[in-house]
Structures are given as structure tokens and as C-alpha cells.
Amino acid sequence: MSTQTASGSMSFLSGKPLRFIAAGILLINGMFPALWILFTSLKSEAELTAKPITWIPHAPTLQNYMQAFSDQPLHVFLFNSFMVALLSTALTLLVSVLAAYALARLNLAYRGLILSLIIAVSTFPLVTLLVPLFEIMRALNLLNSWTALVLPYTVLSLPVCTLMLVSFFEGIPRDLENAAMIDGCTRMGALFKIVVPLCAPGVFTAGILAFVNAWDEFLLALSFNSNPALRTLPVGIQLYQGEFAFPWPVISAALVVGIVPVAILIVIFQERVVSGLTAGGIKG
């Protein structure tokens, strides 16, 4: 009997029921906050504070979205966030592609030490880097500019993107590059015409990670830019709250507007991102 019970328990733990339970927990954990913000953005203030709590809005309204754009220059926050994230992503991909290629292909001395240092740097908490980065930006007279955010965001995303691309580049046969160079390509030409296109899933995945990191970042954006015209979305959203009031429906509407661009980006490149993550995990 005990043997049958043990085998039944093992069958449950390794079978479909446990997988469905785990998938359900992950789905609820991921979707519930987003759905709650969406439903809150469609409620009036009276319905939000009514008792008992209503999960789904009884009288959905788009007034909160219109108020989100009228109370604060939300379109300016979106534009600033998009430009900062786009520029930092482009710079991150350029530098990480070159760095990963050097680590994967060139016979560098102390390659293992370099990779270990990259991993170590990626573990530093952002708050410990705030003061040094602020002093550097002030010394370079870059405060209150997009550059004050683009450069730190690039540096912060480089370790993860570089490590990811190293594993992809190592999976590309060297013979393809050698054949391209025999046909007249330079090493850089072989990199961008042969290697990078073959590693497109990894490059797209690294770009998405860099973009999302820059889009969501709050601490540096708050500290480095005091100019209202240069505020990014995470900093701008906090301006909706008053001294004694928190207009949660309006704040939720602004959050939904901020989530939409990233969601669209991920949906468009979903297949490449998934294949990049799975291939990187197998190769790594």
C-alpha cells in the first residue's frame, strides 16, 4: 500500500496536474495585477471606493484616460521615455555585439576573468551606483538631458546583453566567417553580415531586455532630470498624486498607457524573444 501511495504521489508531482497548477499560479501572478490596474482605470472614483469592492467595473468610463492626459503632459512623458529607451537600446546592442564577439571569437587573455567581472558588475544594486553616477554626470555637465539617462542605462544593460550574446556567437561555426572573409569581407563585415543575422533571436531578446529596463527605470530618471520637459513616464506618473489625495483611477489609466507600448513590442517580437531565450538557455 505504501509503495502504491508513493508511486501515486510521484506520478502526481511529475504529471500534468502539477504542471497545470504551476501554470495557473504563474498566470494569476502575472495577469492579476495588470487586470486589476486595467479595471481600476475604467472605474469612477465613487465606484472604486464603494463597499463591497467590485472587481469588474459596472459602468466603465474612459474619463480617467482623458484626465490622465489633461492633468499632466502624459504625451511628453511617453515621448521622453521612448526616445531614452530607444537610444539606450541601440547603443547597448552596438557595444554588446562588439564585446560579445570579441569574447567569443578572439583569443583574449584572462577571458574567464573578464566574464567573471561582467557577472559581478551585473549584481551591483542600483542604489549603490546612484551617487557615483550622479557625480560623473554633474562633472560632465550632462544633468537634465537625455544623455544623462542613456549612458547609465546602456552601462546597466550591457552585462546581461553581452553574456547572452556570447553564448549565441559561440554557437555559430567559425567556417561561415572564414568563408565570408575569403570572399572579401572584413572581420567587421563578417560580423554584421553573417554572425548578427544568424543570431537575430538573441539580438532581439537582448534589445527587448534593454528597452524594458530603460522604459521602467525610476531612480536615475528621478535623480538626474529635474527639468519638467525631460521627465520620463515613471517619474511623471508620481505627479498625479496630490498632497492628501491619490486619484487611483487616473494613475491606473496612466499606467495602462505606459504598459501598452511595451506590450505591443513584446507581442510583435514574441516568437523571436521566446526562441532567443530558449536557445540562449540551451547554449548557455
Side-chain angles (χ1 to χ4, degrees):
M1 181 67 69
S2 59
T3 304
Q4 293 178 351
T5 303
S7 62
S9 300
M10 292 299 295
S11 176
F12 175 79
L13 292 175
S14 61
K16 290 184 178 180
L18 184 61
R19 297 177 187 177
F20 282 121
I21 293 173
I25 293 174
L26 291 175
L27 182 64
I28 293 173
N29 182 66
M31 294 299 297
F32 178 76
L35 290 176
W36 180 252
I37 292 173
L38 175 62
F39 292 155
T40 302
S41 70
L42 297 174
K43 295 179 181 179
S44 63
E45 190 74 33
E47 184 177 357
L48 181 65
T49 56
K51 297 291 182 67
I53 296 175
T54 57
W55 297 97
I56 299 177
H58 294 318
T61 176
L62 296 178
Q63 178 62 35
N64 297 317
Y65 289 89
M66 293 183 286
Q67 190 174 343
F69 280 93
S70 62
D71 288 358
Q72 298 291 339
L74 186 58
H75 63 286
V76 175
F77 303 153
L78 288 168
F79 177 74
N80 290 335
S81 287
F82 179 78
M83 291 304 299
V84 168
L86 184 64
L87 292 173
S88 64
T89 300
L91 187 57
T92 297
L93 288 180
L94 176 62
V95 177
S96 61
V97 163
L98 297 176
Y101 184 76
L103 290 169
R105 286 291 190 262
L106 305 182
N107 296 321
L108 298 177
Y110 308 109
R111 177 179 180 275
L113 177 61
I114 294 173
L115 289 173
S116 299
L117 290 175
I118 292 176
I119 296 174
V121 168
S122 66
T123 62
F124 287 178
L126 181 58
V127 68
T128 63
L129 304 174
L130 178 61
V131 174
L133 286 174
F134 183 86
E135 292 298 329
I136 292 172
M137 293 301 147
R138 185 171 64 176
L140 296 175
N141 197 28
L142 293 177
L143 295 177
N144 290 318
S145 68
W146 284 349
T147 309
L149 298 180
V150 171
L151 294 180
Y153 291 170
T154 300
V155 172
L156 293 173
S157 297
L158 273 176
V160 174
C161 294
T162 301
L163 291 174
M164 178 181 295
L165 291 176
V166 165
S167 66
F168 276 92
F169 290 168
E170 288 178 340
I172 302 298
R174 294 175 182 264
D175 294 341
L176 295 176
E177 300 163 64
N178 294 334
M181 287 188 282
I182 290 174
D183 290 339
C185 269
T186 62
R187 183 175 285 276
M188 294 296 292
L191 168 62
F192 287 103
K193 293 180 180 179
I194 304 297
V195 179
V196 171
L198 290 174
C199 296
V203 174
F204 273 100
T205 303
I208 294 293
L209 291 177
F211 187 92
V212 172
N213 287 339
W215 183 269
D216 292 340
E217 202 283 323
F218 173 79
L219 184 60
L220 298 185
L222 176 66
S223 304
F224 292 176
N225 278 340
S226 59
N227 186 345
L230 296 174
R231 288 192 177 106
T232 57
L233 185 64
V235 178
I237 287 178
Q238 72 162 350
L239 300 178
Y240 287 97
Q241 67 184 46
E243 185 176 0
F244 303 105
F246 290 86
W248 292 118
V250 178
I251 293 175
S252 298
L255 288 171
V256 171
V257 172
I259 292 172
V260 167
V262 177
I264 293 175
L265 192 65
I266 293 176
V267 168
I268 293 175
F269 299 110
Q270 178 182 7
E271 291 185 3
R272 290 185 178 272
V273 171
V274 172
S275 62
L277 288 174
T278 54
I282 294 172
K283 294 176 184 177

